[in-house]
């Protein structure tokens, strides 16, 4: 062993021991959040608990970033890369879950509570002068609101009142400049594989969201349908049009389009005149997202045209496609081998779901790892955390070790990752692209 690698090995031991000493506190907090789920931009209690833990660890958190975000920076005092370790604050809403909040239906069925746990575990491990003196650069611990793209009406209200511009937490963090000086981002998500594994993800679909309203004319549905214009029929035809476009979607684009009808009519004896739909259009690249969107809009107009109805299409940016940094994944793998062994290694294949970690991956090298200590279908009533030690403590150590690998030895490896990364977007370009997705169209033939 060289002197440098010997030094970093002993620093890792110090970090791991510090995390182990706080195991009970860390798991208690992750369980407390699990038991008190709060959906996006409403995570006030979760944020308060997170900030309290940061203060007890000697950090000085800033609160109220993008409504509920909490941010604390740890600086070595020497120049070098700036790494963000992120944890998501928000829950989902699945009232059927055994721990769902009786009033709001909120439940942590994506396991974001363990992310706050493993982010804080990494903070515990790195907040030590004996470790910081061996590193260059800085680390910011970010508790970020609202990853799940839900409660759109509530969030549009926040947008209309000027509290947010974009509907997710990381998008708002980027808009507010919180990631302006960040070079690399890391996050560890829960995964219901039940395996003792920490596997980085490779890529995710991005998405666009649409709210659609078909406008017809009401009339007696039995006595005088010839005097009406049936908006439900227009919506039906539009959905057929979308379905018939599926043969044009290429396998590699991984297109997923899933519309729902949120209002199908008002009274069965009256021709539906006001029918609303919501849908996500997901794809593996921005180009494929836009291509599929064009076809969806054609189908929506065609449905309206055939029936003689009108259609209003309101489009919002969803998330950018995720593409995680493989060089970063490989450095993380080294920590996984040190902590668990080769059996814990692997990669999550491309996922057709979407996350705003994709937006982060569009502007800097990013990693999203998956900790296997959960069971049941994600986003369902069956989801449970099964291995708190893996998801909080071991995952936290892996994040801390990865930071140490990137920032030790004059941060050589961190600097290399940054130098070699080709960002799909600058921050300004990303924000412009996001704003370009926002469209409103009123079509009436
Ligand atoms: Zn989720
Ligand atoms: Zn999630």
């Amino acid at each position: 062993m060289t002197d440098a690698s010997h030094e970093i090995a002993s620093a890792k031991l110090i970090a791991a021991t510090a995390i182990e000493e706080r195991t009970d506190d860390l798991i208690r907090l992750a369980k407390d959040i699990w038991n008190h789920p709060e959906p996006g931009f409403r995570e006030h209690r979760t944020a308060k608990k997170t900030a309290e833990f940061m203060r007890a660890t000697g950090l000085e958190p800033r609160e109220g970033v993008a409504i509920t975000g909490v941010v604390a920076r740890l600086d070595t005092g020497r120049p070098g890369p700036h790494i963000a370790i992120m944890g998501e604050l928000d829950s989902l809403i699945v009232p059927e879950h055994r721990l769902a909040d009786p009033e709001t239906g909120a439940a942590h069925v994506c396991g974001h509570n363990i992310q706050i746990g493993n982010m804080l575990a990494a903070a515990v491990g790195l907040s030590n002068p004996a470790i910081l003196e061996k590193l260059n650069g800085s680390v910011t611990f970010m508790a970020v609101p609202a990853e799940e793209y839900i409660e759109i009406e509530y969030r549009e209200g926040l947008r209309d009142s000027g509290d947010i511009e974009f509907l997710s937490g990381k998008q708002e963090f980027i808009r507010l400049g919180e990631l302006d000086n960040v070079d690399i981002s890391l996050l560890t998500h829960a995964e219901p594989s039940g395996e003792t594994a920490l596997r980085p993800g490779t890529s995710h679909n991005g998405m666009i969201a649409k709210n659609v309203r078909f406008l017809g004319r009401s009339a007696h549905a039995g006595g005088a349908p010839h005097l009406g214009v049936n908006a439900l029929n227009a919506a039906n035809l539009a959905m057929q049009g979308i379905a018939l476009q599926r043969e044009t979607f290429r396998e590699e684009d991984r297109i997923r389009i899933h519309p729902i009808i949120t209002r199908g009519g008002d009274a069965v004896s009256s021709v539906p005149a006001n029918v609303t739909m919501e849908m996500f259009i997901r794809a593996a690249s921005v180009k494929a997202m836009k291509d599929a969107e064009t076809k969806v809009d054609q189908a929506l107009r065609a449905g309206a045209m055939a029936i003689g109805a009108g259609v209003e299409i309101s489009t919002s940016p969803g998330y950018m496609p995720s593409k995680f940094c493989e060089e970063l994944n490989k450095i993380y793998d080294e920590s996984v081998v040190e902590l668990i062994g080769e059996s814990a290694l692997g990669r999550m294949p491309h996922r057709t779901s979407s996350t705003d970690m994709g937006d982060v991956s569009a502007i800097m090298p990013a990693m999203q790892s998956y900790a296997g200590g959960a069971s049941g279908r994600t986003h369902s009533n069956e989801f449970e955390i099964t291995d708190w030690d893996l998801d909080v403590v071991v995952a936290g150590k892996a994040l801390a070790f990865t930071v140490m690998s990137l920032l030790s030895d004059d941060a050589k490896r961190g600097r290399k990752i940054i130098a070699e990364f080709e960002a799909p977007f600058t921050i300004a370009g990303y924000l412009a692209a996001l704003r370009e997705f926002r469209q409103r169209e009123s079509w009436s033939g």
Side-chain angles (χ1 to χ4, degrees), residues 163-347:
D163 294 308
I164 58 174
E165 179 183 348
F166 301 116
L167 303 195
S168 95
K170 295 188 197 72
Q171 294 177 330
E172 280 293 287
F173 265 47
I174 298 170
R175 180 182 72 86
L176 294 168
E178 291 295 329
L179 273 69
D180 280 2
N181 301 309
V182 174
D183 299 301
I184 292 173
S185 287
L186 309 172
L187 179 148
T188 309
H189 199 286
E191 166 66 18
S193 70
E195 290 173 70
T196 307
L198 295 170
R199 294 182 186 136
T202 46
S203 54
H204 278 261
N205 272 7
M207 65 142 173
I208 301 170
K210 283 188 187 282
N211 274 314
V212 182
R213 180 188 303 277
F214 288 94
L215 296 163
R217 187 167 63 229
S218 56
H220 195 297
H226 58 285
L227 298 178
V229 174
N230 193 319
L232 182 61
N233 289 349
N236 243 311
L237 260 179
M239 284 172 62
Q240 300 298 321
I242 293 166
L244 289 171
Q245 280 285 1
R246 289 186 199 272
E247 69 180 22
T248 70
F249 299 152
R250 302 182 311 165
E251 278 75 353
E252 62 265 39
D253 291 333
R254 308 298 191 97
I255 311 260
R256 297 286 186 280
I257 302 174
H258 40 99
I260 57 170
I261 291 183
T262 47
R263 178 174 177 162
D266 296 295
V268 68
S269 57
S270 179
V271 171
N274 180 8
V275 167
T276 57
M277 288 167 69
E278 283 179 14
M279 76 182 82
F280 284 171
I281 300 165
R282 305 184 196 251
S285 71
V286 172
K287 190 168 172 286
M289 277 157 64
K290 288 196 164 167
D291 179 63
E293 188 200 12
T294 301
K295 291 168 181 170
V296 164
D297 287 349
Q298 285 168 194
L300 294 172
R301 288 183 217 113
M305 177 192 244
I307 302 298
V311 62
E312 293 170 2
I313 308 168
S314 168
T315 307
S316 301
Y319 298 150
M320 288 291 177
S322 308
K323 181 146 182 20
F324 298 115
C325 175
E326 181 55 22
E327 293 310 308
L328 203 49
N329 289 350
K330 284 181 192 157
I331 291 176
Y332 178 81
D333 282 348
E334 295 169 14
S335 302
V336 174
V337 172
E338 281 175 50
L339 289 162
I340 308 175
E342 304 241 332
S343 63
L345 291 177
R347 289 286 176 275

Side-chain angles (χ1 to χ4, degrees), residues 432-444:
L434 221 52
R435 287 175 181 131
E436 210 178 285
F437 279 119
R438 197 181 299 150
Q439 305 269 354
R440 240 171 206 294
E441 174 180 342
S442 233
W443 190 92
S444 55

Side-chain angles (χ1 to χ4, degrees), residues 92 109-110 112 147-148 189 354 378-379:
L92 258 148
V109 291
C110 208
H112 293 181
E147 186 276 329
E148 304 288 353
H189 199 286
S354 315
T378 306
H379 288 205

Side-chain angles (χ1 to χ4, degrees), residues 87-136:
E88 293 158 356
L89 289 159
D90 62 322
S91 77
L92 258 148
I93 297 177
V94 174
E96 298 79 21
H97 194 269
R98 70 182 176 91
L99 289 174
D101 184 298
E103 273 171 40
T104 63
H108 264 296
V109 291
C110 208
H112 293 181
N113 58 303
I114 66 101
Q115 296 182 24
I116 299 298
N118 61 48
M119 174 199 66
L120 291 172
V124 167
L126 294 167
S127 298
N128 182 324
I131 290 170
L132 292 179
E133 71 181 21
K134 295 186 173 56
L135 307 179
N136 273 61

Side-chain angles (χ1 to χ4, degrees), residues 135-150:
L135 307 179
N136 273 61
S138 55
V139 191
T140 296
F141 304 96
M142 294 187 173
V144 188
E147 186 276 329
E148 304 288 353
Y149 203 99
I150 59 170

Side-chain angles (χ1 to χ4, degrees), residues 45-119:
R45 183 185 183 279
T46 312
K48 193 165 149 271
K49 294 275 172 187
T50 304
E52 279 168 10
F53 194 101
M54 285 175 167
R55 270 185 224 105
T57 308
L59 295 164
E60 293 171 14
R62 275 188 295 126
E63 297 173 69
V65 181
I67 303 181
T68 49
V70 186
V71 173
R73 185 162 179 173
L74 192 59
D75 203 329
T76 66
R78 280 176 297 283
H82 181 187
I83 300 177
I85 296 184
M86 296 184 173
E88 293 158 356
L89 289 159
D90 62 322
S91 77
L92 258 148
I93 297 177
V94 174
E96 298 79 21
H97 194 269
R98 70 182 176 91
L99 289 174
D101 184 298
E103 273 171 40
T104 63
H108 264 296
V109 291
C110 208
H112 293 181
N113 58 303
I114 66 101
Q115 296 182 24
I116 299 298
N118 61 48
M119 174 199 66

